[in-house]
């Protein structure tokens, strides 16, 4: 029996060829799959069914993906959403996450990539509970991070982090005590296409440490896990 | 002709007029009437000279204004062509993404089912992959032209070391960063973009040369100068000015994979840092790619 059979996924895309192809691929991976061809249809399915994850295209007739996501979150529905973005520019990724999507994938992609992302998102849900994963504001002692506005404060002073350093800090903070590998950070924060290497991740972690005054040898926030990656070691609360 | 030259010409003509007037006066008798008659031509010459210089200056100013207007119009035309080009790439990108996704997903399905062992499926997948990366490259080009740079202080040696690390061929890259009589000062720029630019240049060197390539970084006359030198197949002289154009591929590299976008990306990144990319090459001898970024610019 396939491992994912109890997991229901809704695919929302107005392109028939993409939708039907993805339905076959996900069913073959063992998921139970529902489909919708526009935003309004998606909301109807969401209301009628219990879902584990939604794959949502951005550009669609009637209601677009962003509007659907916004409506869901306003209604306190925290079903994980993977957004299919059209544009690779950083702004598009950030705005997708701002609307409450949990992850994004750029078109064109292959179905293996999509399935890997879906599994990672489902695993994330199991490991870390909703509150911190989905929270827009994360607080750890004197450190405060606001996801939507991309702003960070230490004590009462705001600190200016580069986009990527902010992404790394947000990713680590939303997984307190979990070891996150450099590869995972590269994948999530930099995306699949950027020709960056492990050292790039280290440079950004060094930036965070410098600006937070966090010593690598005796860290208050980010610990280096030798040969693997990093771990956020302080307690994190959501607001 | 510059305004300064025109002004000097006007002054010279005026002085010439005065000199001529004085010469005419020196030939005049002492009688007042005769003097007045004699001085009249000198005054006329002087007035004529002044009018002539004013006329030349006027014409020059008008032509300068016209030149500025033409330059403005050309600038506007260039900007509008550029934004039209960017819009076209965005539309192309948008219109091609959905069909490419559909083809890709259906190929995956085919390969997971009956078409598992069909070599043709793998061939089609490769071609879709090429189109996909071409599209991504074009989109990236537009993104680079318009995105806001994240400027920070960069240690040049550390950045170049990362390039070497990324390309995983340390034995083929000879890195030479200036330390004496002083070390290269850090530069201010977008670290991630400069990493892409230097990586592309070094990767090109490695790709088109079977030998060791040199990467030299110097601080020269207020500039950071990084040279990437290879002893590869080189670029034909008549193609040198084309190699940074989008999608251009040299006539002697068709046997190698490539998108024809790598050097265009480098050029955009360097220019966005106020710098210059210069490429010198000799066929069958090698190529020197030089990036120059002024410290005050960065």
């Amino acid at each position: 029996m396939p491992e994912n059979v109890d997991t229901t996924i809704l695919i929302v895309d107005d392109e028939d060829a993409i939708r039907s192809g993805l339905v076959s691929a996900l069913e073959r991976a063992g998921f139970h799959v529902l489909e919708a061809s526009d935003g309004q249809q998606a909301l109807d399915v969401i209301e009628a069914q219990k879902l584990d994850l939604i794959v949502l295209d951005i550009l669609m007739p009637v209601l677009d993906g962003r509007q659907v996501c916004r409506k869901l979150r306003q209604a306190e529905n925290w079903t994980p959403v993977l957004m299919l973005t059209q544009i690779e520019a950083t702004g598009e990724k950030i705005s997708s996450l701002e609307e409450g999507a949990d992850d994004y994938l750029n078109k064109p992609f292959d179905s293996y990539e999509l399935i890997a992302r879906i599994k990672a998102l489902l695993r994330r849900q199991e490991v870390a509970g909703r509150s911190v994963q989905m929270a827009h504001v994360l607080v750890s002692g004197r450190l405060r991070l606001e996801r939507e506005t991309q702003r960070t404060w230490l004590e009462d002073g705001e600190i200016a982090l580069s986009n990527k350093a902010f992404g790394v800090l947000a990713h680590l903070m939303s997984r307190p005590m979990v070891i996150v590998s450099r590869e995972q950070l590269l994948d999530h924060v930099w995306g699949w296409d950027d020709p960056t290497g492990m050292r790039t991740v280290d440079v950004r972690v060094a930036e965070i440490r410098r600006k937070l005054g966090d010593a690598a040898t005796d860290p208050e926030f980010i610990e280096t896990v030798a040969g693997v990656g990093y771990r956020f070691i302080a307690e994190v609360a959501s607001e | 002709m510059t305004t300064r030259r025109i002004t000097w010409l006007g002054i010279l003509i005026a002085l010439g007029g005065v000199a001529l007037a004085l010469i005419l006066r020196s030939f005049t008798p002492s009688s007042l009437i005769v003097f007045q008659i004699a001085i009249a031509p000198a005054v006329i010459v002087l007035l004529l000279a002044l009018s002539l210089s004013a006329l030349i200056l006027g014409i020059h100013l008008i032509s300068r204004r016209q030149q500025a207007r033409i330059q403005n119009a050309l600038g506007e035309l260039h900007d509008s062509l550029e934004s039209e080009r960017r819009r076209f790439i965005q539309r192309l990108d948008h219109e091609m993404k959905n069909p490419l996704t559909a083809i890709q997903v259906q190929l995956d399905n085919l390969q997971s089912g009956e078409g598992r062992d069909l070599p043709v499926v793998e061939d089609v997948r490769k071609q879709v992959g090429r189109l996909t990366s071409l599209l991504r490259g074009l989109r990236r080009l537009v993104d680079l032209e318009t995105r806001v740079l994240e400027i920070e202080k960069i240690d040049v040696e550390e950045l170049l070391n990362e390039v070497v690390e990324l390309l995983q061929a340390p034995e083929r890259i000879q890195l030479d960063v200036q330390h004496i009589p002083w070390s290269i000062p850090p530069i201010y720029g977008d670290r991630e973009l400069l990493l892409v630019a230097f990586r592309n240049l070094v990767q090109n060197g490695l790709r088109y040369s079977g030998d060791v390539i040199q990467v030299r970084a110097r601080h020269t006359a207020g500039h950071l100068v990084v040279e990437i030198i290879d002893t590869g197949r080189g670029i034909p002289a008549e193609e040198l000015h084309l190699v940074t154009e989008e999608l251009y591929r040299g006539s002697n590299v068709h046997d190698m994979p490539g998108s024809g976008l790598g050097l265009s990306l480098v050029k955009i990144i360097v220019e966005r840092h106020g710098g210059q990319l210069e490429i010198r090459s000799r066929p069958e001898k090698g190529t020197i790619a030089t990036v120059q970024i002024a410290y005050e610019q960065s």
Side-chain angles (χ1 to χ4, degrees):
Chain A
M1 192 171 151
E3 52 173 330
N4 306 309
V5 77
D6 294 331
T7 310
T8 306
I9 293 176
L10 171 65
I11 300 272
V12 193
D13 198 308
D14 59 321
E15 289 272 333
D16 291 345
I18 295 178
R19 210 175 54 247
S20 65
L22 287 179
V23 169
S24 308
L26 292 184
E27 280 180 348
R28 218 176 29 255
F31 295 107
H32 177 227
V33 189
L34 302 172
E35 49 184 306
S37 59
D38 65 51
Q40 188 52 54
Q41 261 191 35
L43 285 178
D44 295 342
V45 176
I46 292 163
E47 208 172 310
Q49 303 267 346
K50 189 188 170 304
L51 302 168
D52 293 291
L53 192 138
I54 303 164
V55 177
L56 196 56
D57 187 30
I58 285 193
L59 288 179
M60 283 185 303
V62 191
L63 268 182
D64 70 24
R66 283 206 198 92
Q67 290 169 306
V68 173
C69 201
R70 206 178 309 144
K71 277 179 184 284
L72 274 183
R73 298 312 186 223
Q74 277 166 359
E76 306 260 314
N77 182 330
W78 302 107
T79 308
V81 170
L82 198 155
M83 200 86 99
L84 302 180
T85 53
Q86 293 279 346
I87 302 168
E88 285 177 34
T90 322
E92 183 83 2
K93 294 173 186 171
I94 290 167
S95 64
S96 306
L97 296 175
E98 275 173 16
E99 299 295 353
D102 301 274
D103 205 354
Y104 55 83
L105 191 57
N106 292 312
K107 283 182 175 179
F109 54 83
D110 63 47
S111 38
Y112 304 112
E113 207 173 313
L114 177 69
I115 291 167
R117 291 281 178 130
I118 288 175
K119 286 185 175 169
L121 248 183
L122 291 170
R123 255 197 321 272
R124 227 165 86 185
Q125 295 308 116
E126 284 166 18
V127 173
R130 292 231 56 85
S131 58
V132 173
Q133 286 279 316
M134 299 298 145
H136 288 308
V137 179
L138 298 171
V139 182
S140 177
R142 56 204 183 97
L143 174 65
R144 179 186 169 87
L145 178 140
E146 219 175 83
R147 244 199 271 255
E148 283 187 35
T149 53
Q150 279 218 16
R151 296 173 77 185
T152 315
W153 289 266
L154 188 69
E155 310 279 11
D156 289 329
E158 185 170 355
I159 50 171
L161 289 175
S162 66
N163 273 334
K164 294 290 193 282
F166 181 89
V168 170
L169 182 60
H171 193 81
L172 290 173
M173 265 185 102
S174 38
R175 291 154 188 79
M177 303 315 292
V178 175
I179 299 173
V180 183
S181 71
R182 290 179 175 85
E183 288 87 347
Q184 284 169 324
L185 284 168
L186 273 179
D187 174 25
H188 190 89
V189 181
W190 277 264
W192 296 72
D193 300 319
D194 276 317
T196 38
M198 303 305 160
R199 194 190 280 255
T200 299
V201 178
D202 299 339
V203 167
R204 291 304 153 207
V205 172
E207 179 193 337
I208 298 169
R209 282 179 169 152
R210 196 173 60 247
K211 289 179 177 167
L212 297 185
D214 197 25
T217 45
D218 180 24
E220 179 187 349
F221 300 113
I222 299 174
E223 181 188 66
T224 305
V225 183
V228 186
Y230 298 97
R231 172 164 53 188
F232 196 88
I233 51 169
E235 273 187 31
V236 180
S238 58
E239 273 184 17
Chain B
M1 206 182 279
T2 63
T3 309
R4 187 179 290 180
R5 279 187 193 165
I6 290 290
T7 312
W8 277 114
L9 184 67
I11 291 169
L12 275 176
I13 293 173
L15 285 174
V18 172
L20 194 59
L22 287 172
I23 291 164
L24 285 170
R25 184 181 178 275
S26 68
F27 285 109
T28 57
S30 56
S31 136
L32 187 64
I33 298 164
V34 177
F35 170 73
Q36 280 172 343
I37 293 166
I39 202 80
V43 173
I44 291 165
V45 168
L46 182 62
L47 285 173
L48 271 175
L50 286 174
S51 314
L52 188 63
S53 59
L55 188 69
I56 291 173
L57 197 62
I59 290 169
H60 176 70
L61 284 177
I62 290 167
S63 79
R64 285 252 310 178
R65 228 171 275 154
Q66 259 177 343
Q67 230 174 7
R69 261 202 296 270
I70 291 167
Q71 264 173 354
N72 275 348
L74 280 175
E76 280 169 19
L77 184 67
H78 177 263
D79 289 349
S80 98
L81 281 174
E82 275 297 298
S83 56
E84 182 54 42
R85 182 185 130 272
R86 281 199 281 270
R87 275 199 298 275
F88 171 74
I89 293 177
Q90 276 162 345
R91 280 197 297 269
L92 182 77
D93 175 64
H94 181 250
E95 289 307 318
M96 282 182 71
K97 273 186 170 178
N98 275 343
L100 275 176
T101 307
I103 295 171
Q104 184 98 44
V105 169
Q106 298 294 11
L107 275 176
D108 296 340
N109 288 339
L110 200 59
Q111 262 192 327
S112 309
E114 291 164 8
R116 193 184 305 256
D117 302 320
L118 288 177
V120 67
V121 177
E122 196 45 48
D123 289 347
V124 176
R125 180 188 286 285
K126 272 188 198 144
Q127 298 312 314
V128 172
R130 273 181 71 183
L131 273 177
T132 303
S133 60
L134 177 69
L135 206 59
R136 284 188 176 161
L138 281 173
R139 187 63 194 79
R140 202 179 168 83
L141 217 63
V142 174
D143 183 34
L144 284 181
E145 284 171 1
T146 50
R147 80 196 251 180
V148 179
L149 299 184
E150 279 197 74
I151 303 296
E152 62 185 309
K153 194 169 158 185
I154 303 165
D155 180 322
V156 178
E157 186 168 17
E158 193 189 89
L159 186 78
L160 294 174
N161 269 320
E162 187 172 347
V163 171
V164 175
E165 199 177 279
L166 263 175
L167 294 169
Q168 298 182 331
E171 70 290 349
R172 288 193 56 208
I173 305 168
Q174 208 176 75
L175 186 59
D176 172 14
V177 179
Q178 174 187 325
H179 283 291
I180 50 170
W182 57 80
S183 292
I184 294 184
I187 197 149
Y188 285 83
D190 189 312
R191 193 179 188 283
E192 317 251 323
L193 292 191
L194 288 174
L195 183 74
V196 171
F198 289 123
R199 189 202 72 131
N200 281 5
L201 289 174
V202 177
Q203 194 174 37
N204 270 357
L206 290 174
R207 188 180 289 163
Y208 299 118
S209 146
D211 215 344
V212 170
I213 69 158
Q214 283 187 21
V215 180
R216 287 187 203 155
R218 297 279 178 274
H219 176 218
T220 310
H223 286 74
L224 165 70
V225 181
V226 181
E227 289 178 317
I228 292 95
I229 306 160
D230 70 64
T231 52
R233 53 178 79 180
I235 304 162
E238 63 278 13
E239 294 179 21
L240 263 181
H241 67 290
L242 299 170
V243 290
T244 52
E245 280 188 8
E246 289 156 22
L247 302 177
Y248 185 82
R249 298 214 62 216
S251 58
N252 59 346
V253 296
H254 286 304
D255 56 321
M256 310 279 282
S259 64
L261 290 171
L263 283 177
S264 318
L265 284 170
V266 175
K267 186 166 182 272
I268 292 170
I269 294 170
V270 172
E271 286 179 353
R272 289 216 60 197
H273 283 81
Q276 281 179 316
L277 167 69
E278 186 199 19
I279 296 177
R280 289 170 287 157
S281 189
R282 287 189 189 170
E284 303 311 321
K285 291 276 181 200
T287 302
I288 306 174
T290 310
V291 172
Q292 274 203 53
I293 299 175
Y295 272 94
E296 65 269 26
Q297 286 281 349
S298 78

